[in-house]
Amino acid sequence: MWRGRGGLRPGNASSRWPAPAWFGFVVMDENTGYNKVEDVVGCHVEDAVTFWAQNMSRNNDILKLSHALAEVCPQANSVFGNPDFTKIYGGCFSEDKCWYRCKVQQVISDEKCQVLYIDYGNSEMLNRSEIVEIPENLQFPSIAKKYRLWGLQIPPDQDLNQFDQGRKFLYSLIFEKEIKMRHKATYQDGTIVAQAEYGKVDIGEEVSKKGFAEKCKSPINANNCDEKKIDVAQYQPWNAKVSAPAWENRPNPSVSNRLKGHFGDQIGTNMRNENHTGNHMPFVKEKLMACDFNIGSNISLAKIKQDQKLIEENEKLRNEKEILQKENQILLQNYKELESTIAQLNHQVQEEKETSKETLKHLGKTLHTYVGTKMRSLAAQIEVLKDVRCSDMNVHFGDDLFRAVKEVTERCLIAPSSLEKLEKIWAEYNLAQEMIQLCKNVNESDILILKRNEVRQNLYSAVEEFILEVDELPLSERSTILQELSGSLEAIYGQVSEADDSEETFQQFFEWKQTKLEEFSRVRSGTDASLQILATWFSGMIKFFDLTSEVSLKSEEVVGNVDEVLEKAESNICKELEISLVEQDEADKEIILNAYNKVIQKIHQEQHLITVVQSKYLASVEFKKQIVEWLNKSPNIDTLLSIKKTLKNVKARLRWKLVEKSNLEESDDYSEYEITKVKEEITGLRNNLIQEIYNEQEEYGTLTYLVQKWFPELPLLHPEAGILKYMNSGGLLAVSLERDLLDAEPLKELSTKHPLVCSEVQEQKVLLKGYAVDVSTEAKVIERTARYHRAWSEFKEKSGLLQLMFLFLCKSDPLVYLMVPYYPGASLGALQAGTPLTSEEILKVMEGVARGLHTLHKANIVHGSLHTNNVFAVNRKQGIVGDFDFTKSDDQRASANSMVVGNLNLISPELRMGHLASPSSDMYAYGCLLFWDDKVKSLLLNLICSNRMTAEQVLNDDCFLLPDVIPAPPQNEPGEELECEKAEEKGEVIISSDNKTDEEEEMDPSQ
């Protein structure tokens, strides 16, 4: 080290001072790096003159090291046993959970060690599991170096606050800043003494000017600078945690910034000085001990002990004084509290005196009017008692509940004796039917059918017996009585809670009622007796005060114990009024409510029994009615085969006429009359064909009903009839319909994706949609169309869905044809482009569309293909949702379709984020349809925002409940419009340059 401007220079170190090793550092000459200049970045501060920094040229090394540690350390072995203090390990930093190189400074316990992050300068305490072995190729020297400002030391009289401010000031000058360091010397522990400059600012001079450090005055004191630093730093807490610094070129700045250290920590300082490579700190400690010994040789040991004893006694007296002062304060506080309590008690005594005086005055006045007051009070009570007895209030003690208990216990309906037998045989019958349904072998089915027929005969007998028994039961009358009883009790006692299963509930209620009646009778008898005594006393008083009376009575006989008579009468009257008017206590209420809940439970049980009996009765009546025809015979498919034979004949004649028509048209000398006649015959044959197909469908429906209800063996016995195919299609499959038998006109301009042809069936225009299928997709198409058709069949024309008329397979090509009604020019897109709908018409149409979506969603079907070309306004007032591509799944349809309004391609946010299609995405598309009308803005806002309405909620909206009234745009609720604006800002409405999807390129078949 050097002191001031006349400090140590490389050439005269040995002539001016003893050997360099004596002072803890090595002086450099020009050949070993004296005045060497390097650019560094500050990363950690220990005190006002000591800090850590990284060379700017090592940036790439830090990057490579971070990546290497991230790959190696998670799989490396943890450190066990005694760690090597000279070895480099990998440590997981607690703040960012990243791996950095470190050295173990001290073993704190079996589980924890103190480590130093050698590439940054900070330290912390880690669990052993967070310290791992690293390979030899990562065991190179630290990237960060420790620097000390040349010629400066910490003042010996500096306090902790100044020490901390000095660290902060040096931190503000060097942290993450490019500093130019001029090397002056190096300690044996590797600490570099250097002159630091940031631009034109000398950092050492700035620290010295602020008074946080002073220039060294002698070589020995220069060495002892470290000792002062260590003493002050001991004020820091042992567990102080600091972060390792990192500059902006580290691999992950956002993570490494969490590793930045602000100030040095005592653990790092002490442990680095004790355990770091070299012996700088041990030397300083030895030097300090030598200095202290030389100074102490001139001081008397006895004097030191005496002074120490005086200091201890002084400290003891000061502690005793503080204890006495605290006790004195406590006594003073207690004294003040006692004074306050005494004052409050005196005030209370004074108030009680005043109250006593007022009470005495009131008693004096009351004595003059006691008799009148007493009689008026008694008379008022008598008036109330008369009213109570006249109205008979609250003296029944649950009579209505008592009657209900009698009703559900003594008059309850019991299950018919034949019910159990019927249920048992019915279960056997259902099992037999299920076995037949699962059977795949015709020979085995014969045995199962015989067994089923036997069980069916037994069931028929049990059904007859059950019907006769139930006909004798007053089920309807009993159900009405129970309904009325339940309603009347609920009106009196309120909501029902779960009843106790105990059978003693009713008995407890009967005992309580009996006890209350006896008590009431006793109290009423006492009231009557006391009033009779009072009346007799009044009669004697009348006679006594009648001067004309000849009866001789003495005053003692007349007056008697009148106070006791009055008190007894008043007491009995109060008891009766209390029983009659005051509500029951909690125990009484609990007994009543338990009985009430038990009665309601019994009512519900009996109602359930009636429901079961009625259900079994209806099923038995239907069984008897339907099965009586088939007791001795089985159904056949003769009618179906006859229809098929007729169809075959009609189709042959139709094909012959079509050939004849073709020949006539190709001949040179054909007659218009003949062609017209042939065309009329062809039309008649096509109508006959369609009618026979309807007959065939009807017969299939009859057979399907028989299969589902009574004869599951029909598909197995008659596989040629194709009953299962018809059933799987939901009654939609027309096995006898063929494409070439229809007068179909191809719609080439609309058939870009699927073959589309237009035809006419029984004076109704229809559209044939062709779908290319294979073996696997054919079953899926039939399944999807069947689900759609079942949803439509539940409500038919009121379903809001486009009807599927027929589904049939092409015999020559792998195509499935779907027949639907044809509405030319009725799509919403075509109408809005030509003659737009009015506001009233839009509301009517969109109500139908909402109903169609509700029908689909109720059947767990997602449309996924809702757009302006697939919504029809029939006659400009009936809204219908069109069908969709049945060869695609919900998600495939949703990904291929979106709503287009002008140049906007509107896609629901969840579909854009890759979520599956859902009823909510259908409602988003429905909301986009409402862009046509500005007068349903509030409804639109609830459809395009995140928490969307369902189709059922839309149908209940005010604008559809009153379709003749056109609602004005409502004033938005605060924040409602802002929510949708935010949704648009987030990209929930996107603009697409490609305005056509796969389905829309197929164009609208209605146009």
Side-chain angles (χ1 to χ4, degrees):
M1 291 186 178
W2 59 283
R3 191 178 307 278
R5 297 185 180 274
L8 183 64
R9 290 291 183 268
N12 57 3
S14 59
S15 61
R16 297 188 59 179
W17 307 107
W22 178 258
F23 301 106
F25 65 90
V26 177
V27 179
M28 298 180 180
D29 57 19
E30 288 79 21
N31 296 329
T32 58
Y34 179 77
N35 272 340
K36 172 186 175 181
V37 178
E38 65 174 337
D39 294 329
V40 299
V41 172
C43 59
H44 180 65
V45 176
E46 288 189 359
D47 56 33
V49 299
T50 310
F51 62 94
W52 290 72
Q54 299 169 336
N55 195 295
M56 293 285 291
S57 63
R58 301 297 298 275
N59 185 24
N60 290 333
D61 295 340
I62 295 175
L63 290 172
K64 294 178 182 178
L65 179 60
S66 298
H67 289 303
L69 291 173
E71 293 178 0
V72 171
C73 291
Q75 288 80 29
N77 296 326
S78 301
V79 175
F80 295 98
N82 295 324
D84 188 352
F85 293 100
T86 63
K87 189 176 181 179
I88 299 176
Y89 297 96
C92 183
F93 188 56
S94 60
E95 292 188 13
D96 62 1
K97 299 303 179 183
C98 293
W99 294 92
Y100 303 94
R101 296 196 306 160
C102 65
K103 280 189 175 182
V104 178
Q105 295 178 308
Q106 184 179 0
V107 176
I108 305 301
S109 66
D110 292 339
E111 297 295 331
K112 294 185 178 294
C113 295
Q114 186 73 22
V115 300
L116 168 69
Y117 294 102
I118 63 174
D119 296 321
Y120 299 94
N122 69 311
S123 62
E124 71 168 352
M125 192 181 300
L126 292 180
N127 291 327
R128 284 179 175 266
S129 60
E130 298 173 331
I131 307 173
V132 299
E133 302 278 354
I134 59 176
E136 290 296 330
N137 62 330
L138 299 179
Q139 299 278 341
F140 52 85
S142 63
I143 295 176
K145 296 179 181 179
K146 182 177 178 182
Y147 295 91
R148 184 180 179 89
L149 294 178
W150 173 253
L152 295 181
Q153 68 178 10
I154 303 296
D157 57 347
Q158 189 179 71
D159 58 17
L160 180 60
N161 183 42
Q162 289 176 323
F163 178 82
D164 189 60
Q165 290 180 359
R167 280 196 306 178
K168 292 181 179 179
F169 181 74
L170 181 59
Y171 171 85
S172 65
L173 294 178
I174 65 99
F175 185 70
E176 288 193 350
K177 295 179 180 178
E178 185 176 347
I179 308 166
K180 189 178 295 294
M181 304 295 296
R182 299 184 184 276
H183 292 205
K184 300 298 182 180
T186 304
Y187 281 124
Q188 289 181 351
D189 67 349
T191 304
I192 300 173
V193 181
Q195 183 179 0
E197 296 176 356
Y198 176 64
K200 296 182 180 181
V201 178
D202 188 319
I203 294 176
E205 291 291 334
E206 293 299 321
V207 173
S208 178
K209 287 178 183 179
K210 292 293 184 177
F212 298 122
E214 64 181 12
K215 295 184 178 180
C216 297
K217 299 178 181 179
S218 68
I220 296 179
N221 289 338
N223 273 338
N224 289 339
C225 289
D226 279 352
E227 296 300 325
K228 299 298 181 180
K229 175 193 68 175
I230 294 170
D231 293 339
V232 177
Q234 290 176 356
Y235 287 99
Q236 301 182 52
W238 175 256
N239 60 351
K241 185 180 293 186
V242 294
S243 308
W247 41 4
E248 61 273 16
N249 293 327
R250 293 220 30 220
N252 188 351
S254 63
V255 175
S256 60
N257 283 341
R258 297 196 300 269
L259 197 61
K260 292 178 181 177
H262 298 289
F263 310 105
D265 55 88
Q266 172 61 20
I267 296 172
T269 303
N270 288 344
M271 299 313 299
R272 280 191 297 273
N273 288 334
E274 290 177 9
N275 297 320
H276 201 279
T277 323
N279 57 357
H280 170 59
M281 269 311 299
F283 167 73
V284 175
K285 289 184 178 180
E286 292 170 5
K287 188 68 179 178
L288 182 62
M289 292 171 60
C291 293
D292 291 342
F293 178 79
N294 291 334
I295 296 171
S297 61
N298 298 323
I299 302 174
S300 172
L301 183 61
K303 178 64 175 176
I304 293 174
K305 291 183 178 180
Q306 183 179 2
D307 291 344
Q308 183 67 27
K309 185 175 181 181
L310 290 175
I311 291 171
E312 292 176 355
E313 291 179 354
N314 187 33
E315 184 68 23
K316 183 177 180 182
L317 291 173
R318 183 164 59 250
N319 293 336
E320 291 177 355
K321 179 181 178 182
E322 291 177 356
I323 294 172
L324 291 175
Q325 286 177 346
K326 291 180 180 178
E327 292 177 352
N328 186 33
Q329 291 177 355
I330 293 172
L331 291 175
L332 182 62
Q333 182 67 25
N334 293 339
Y335 173 73
K336 291 180 180 179
E337 291 178 356
L338 288 174
E339 280 188 338
S340 176
T341 303
I342 292 171
Q344 292 178 0
L345 290 174
N346 289 334
H347 181 69
Q348 292 178 2
V349 169
Q350 191 65 30
E351 288 181 348
E352 289 178 358
K353 286 182 179 180
E354 297 294 332
T355 304
S356 299
K357 291 180 181 179
E358 294 294 331
T359 302
L360 288 174
K361 291 181 181 179
H362 178 71
L363 288 176
K365 294 179 181 179
T366 303
L367 288 175
H368 295 293
T369 60
Y370 174 74
V371 176
T373 302
K374 190 75 171 178
M375 295 305 296
R376 280 193 295 272
S377 174
L378 187 61
Q381 291 176 345
I382 289 292
E383 289 180 353
V384 175
L385 183 60
K386 286 181 179 180
D387 293 338
V388 169
R389 290 195 176 187
C390 288
S391 59
D392 210 19
M393 294 174 59
N394 291 337
V395 294
H396 300 293
F397 301 108
D399 286 352
D400 48 359
L401 190 58
F402 179 79
R403 289 191 294 271
V405 172
K406 292 290 186 181
E407 185 70 35
V408 298
T409 54
E410 298 177 359
R411 302 183 185 91
C412 66
L413 186 70
I414 60 175
S417 58
S418 59
L419 178 60
E420 183 179 357
K421 176 184 176 182
L422 176 68
E423 289 180 338
K424 181 180 179 181
I425 299 177
W426 210 304
E428 294 178 2
Y429 177 76
N430 291 334
L431 179 60
Q433 292 284 70
E434 185 178 354
M435 294 296 292
I436 294 174
Q437 186 177 3
L438 296 176
C439 182
K440 303 298 181 183
N441 188 290
V442 178
N443 297 327
E444 294 178 1
S445 67
D446 294 338
I447 301 174
L448 295 175
I449 291 171
L450 290 175
K451 183 178 180 181
R452 188 272 316 274
N453 293 341
E454 180 182 351
V455 175
R456 184 175 62 190
Q457 189 66 42
N458 296 335
L459 179 61
Y460 185 80
S461 302
V463 161
E464 285 187 323
E465 180 183 355
F466 178 73
I467 291 174
L468 291 175
E469 187 174 1
V470 173
D471 286 339
E472 301 296 327
L473 298 177
L475 295 181
S476 300
E477 296 81 355
R478 185 61 182 172
S479 179
T480 303
I481 291 173
L482 293 176
Q483 186 67 30
E484 293 175 353
L485 182 61
S486 175
S488 62
L489 291 178
E490 288 179 2
I492 297 174
Y493 296 100
Q495 186 176 2
V496 183
S497 58
E498 186 176 356
D500 189 4
D501 293 334
S502 175
E503 296 296 333
E504 300 177 357
T505 302
F506 289 154
Q507 183 63 32
Q508 188 179 11
F509 172 73
F510 291 149
E511 293 175 357
W512 170 83
K513 180 176 175 59
Q514 185 65 30
T515 302
K516 285 294 182 180
L517 285 175
E518 292 176 356
E519 180 185 1
F520 180 73
S521 298
R522 185 175 62 255
V523 171
R524 175 168 284 192
S525 298
T527 303
D528 293 339
S530 61
L531 289 178
Q532 184 62 41
I533 295 172
L534 183 61
T536 303
W537 180 82
F538 276 116
S539 177
M541 290 295 294
I542 291 172
K543 294 178 181 179
F544 179 77
F545 284 104
D546 186 2
L547 299 179
T548 62
S549 176
E550 297 178 356
V551 179
S552 176
L553 297 173
K554 295 183 180 181
S555 60
E556 292 82 2
E557 296 177 359
V558 174
V559 176
N561 194 359
V562 65
D563 293 327
E564 183 178 347
V565 172
L566 289 173
E567 187 68 29
K568 186 70 172 177
E570 186 176 18
S571 174
N572 289 333
I573 292 172
C574 289
K575 285 182 179 180
E576 184 173 349
L577 290 177
E578 181 180 358
I579 293 176
S580 301
L581 299 179
V582 178
E583 294 184 357
Q584 293 89 357
D585 57 17
E586 294 299 326
D588 294 342
K589 288 181 180 179
E590 184 178 359
I591 293 173
I592 294 173
L593 288 179
N594 287 340
Y596 164 66
N597 293 329
K598 190 71 174 178
V599 167
I600 297 297
Q601 184 189 57
K602 291 286 186 181
I603 290 175
H604 290 168
Q605 290 175 353
E606 190 170 348
Q607 287 176 333
H608 176 69
L609 174 62
I610 292 174
T611 302
V612 171
V613 171
Q614 288 177 334
S615 175
K616 291 291 183 183
Y617 180 80
L618 294 176
S620 299
V621 170
E622 182 186 6
F623 175 81
K624 181 179 178 182
K625 180 181 178 181
Q626 296 289 337
I627 212 64
V628 66
E629 180 183 355
W630 309 106
L631 285 177
N632 299 317
K633 66 176 182 177
S634 297
N636 54 53
I637 61 170
D638 293 344
T639 304
L640 178 64
L641 294 178
S642 176
I643 295 173
K644 285 183 176 291
K645 184 177 180 180
T646 302
L647 276 169
K648 187 176 181 180
N649 184 28
V650 173
K651 287 194 289 184
R653 291 167 56 196
L654 179 57
R655 284 193 175 94
W656 177 257
K657 288 297 179 183
L658 290 173
V659 172
E660 183 179 351
K661 173 177 172 289
S662 177
N663 291 336
L664 286 174
E665 290 176 344
E666 292 178 358
S667 65
D668 295 334
D669 53 348
Y670 66 89
S671 171
E672 290 290 343
Y673 172 77
E674 292 180 356
I675 291 182
T676 302
K677 183 179 178 181
V678 171
K679 286 183 178 180
E680 290 176 355
E681 292 177 355
I682 289 174
T683 301
L685 288 172
R686 282 196 175 114
N687 291 336
N688 292 340
L689 176 66
I690 296 300
Q691 185 59 47
E692 290 299 326
I693 288 176
Y694 279 124
N695 294 338
E696 182 185 39
Q697 297 292 92
E698 183 179 353
E699 183 62 22
Y700 268 121
T702 302
L703 292 174
T704 298
Y705 174 78
L706 291 175
V707 170
Q708 291 174 342
K709 294 290 292 185
W710 316 117
F711 300 97
E713 67 270 18
L714 286 178
L716 180 64
L717 299 178
H718 306 286
E720 71 280 4
I723 300 175
L724 281 181
K725 279 190 175 182
Y726 177 84
M727 293 175 62
N728 292 337
S729 69
L732 195 61
L733 183 63
V735 294
S736 298
L737 188 59
E738 298 180 30
R739 157 77 174 79
D740 60 341
L741 298 177
L742 300 173
D743 185 15
E745 178 184 353
L747 300 177
K748 296 180 181 180
E749 68 279 6
L750 304 180
S751 303
T752 58
K753 293 294 180 181
H754 306 291
L756 294 177
V757 294
C758 177
S759 183
E760 187 171 334
V761 173
Q762 293 183 337
E763 299 182 355
Q764 179 184 4
K765 282 193 173 185
V766 296
L767 196 67
L768 296 181
K769 292 183 169 184
Y771 296 101
V773 295
D774 54 23
V775 177
S776 61
T777 57
E778 179 181 319
K780 292 181 180 178
V781 169
I782 294 176
E783 178 189 354
R784 290 166 185 160
T785 53
R787 288 183 61 201
Y788 181 98
H789 184 63
R790 291 189 186 100
W792 175 88
S793 300
E794 185 176 356
F795 302 101
K796 297 189 182 298
E797 287 77 11
K798 295 183 179 180
S799 64
L801 298 177
L802 185 69
Q803 178 188 1
L804 305 183
M805 300 173 65
F806 293 114
L807 177 73
F808 59 94
L809 307 177
C810 182
K811 294 183 178 179
S812 58
D813 298 315
L815 292 175
V816 171
Y817 281 100
L818 186 65
M819 183 183 293
V820 297
Y822 185 30
Y823 302 113
S827 71
L828 188 59
L831 289 173
Q832 294 302 98
T835 307
L837 299 174
T838 64
S839 295
E840 293 182 5
E841 291 172 339
I842 287 177
L843 287 178
K844 292 179 180 179
V845 170
M846 295 310 293
E847 181 183 10
V849 176
R851 185 171 289 106
L853 290 177
H854 176 54
T855 302
L856 289 176
H857 296 167
K858 186 179 178 182
N860 294 324
I861 300 174
V862 177
H863 193 284
S865 184
L866 194 69
H867 48 76
T868 54
N869 292 335
N870 204 14
V871 172
F872 304 99
V874 181
N875 299 325
R876 299 179 67 89
K877 61 181 180 180
Q878 181 185 1
I880 294 178
V881 177
D883 63 328
F884 41 77
D885 188 348
F886 291 102
T887 62
K888 296 180 179 179
S889 65
D890 303 344
D891 300 322
Q892 289 172 337
R893 294 195 301 270
S895 62
N897 291 275
S898 60
M899 177 64 57
V900 176
V901 178
N903 291 326
L904 290 179
N905 187 2
L906 305 180
I907 305 174
S908 65
E910 61 268 23
L911 292 180
R912 217 169 345 99
M913 291 187 291
H915 295 175
L916 299 179
S918 64
S920 179
S921 59
D922 279 349
M923 297 313 297
Y924 185 90
Y926 176 84
C928 293
L929 288 174
L930 291 177
F931 276 128
W932 298 110
D933 190 8
D934 294 334
K935 297 188 177 181
V936 287
K937 191 172 183 180
S938 62
L939 180 60
L940 175 62
L941 292 175
N942 290 324
L943 287 169
I944 65 175
C945 295
S946 57
N947 188 17
R948 298 183 199 125
M949 300 172 68
T950 63
E952 184 177 8
Q953 291 171 338
V954 170
L955 286 172
N956 294 326
D957 194 77
D958 293 341
C959 64
F960 294 134
L961 293 176
L962 299 173
D964 296 332
V965 180
I966 305 301
Q971 186 69 28
N972 291 336
E973 290 294 329
E976 185 178 38
E977 187 171 352
L978 178 62
E979 181 182 353
C980 288
E981 290 177 358
K982 290 181 178 179
E984 293 180 3
E985 291 175 1
K986 292 179 180 178
E988 292 189 2
V989 178
I990 67 170
I991 300 177
S992 173
S993 59
D994 183 9
N995 293 328
K996 292 187 177 181
T997 63
D998 292 342
E999 286 293 324
E1000 289 167 330
E1001 288 177 0
E1002 187 176 319
M1003 300 182 63
D1004 175 20
S1006 66
Q1007 295 179 0

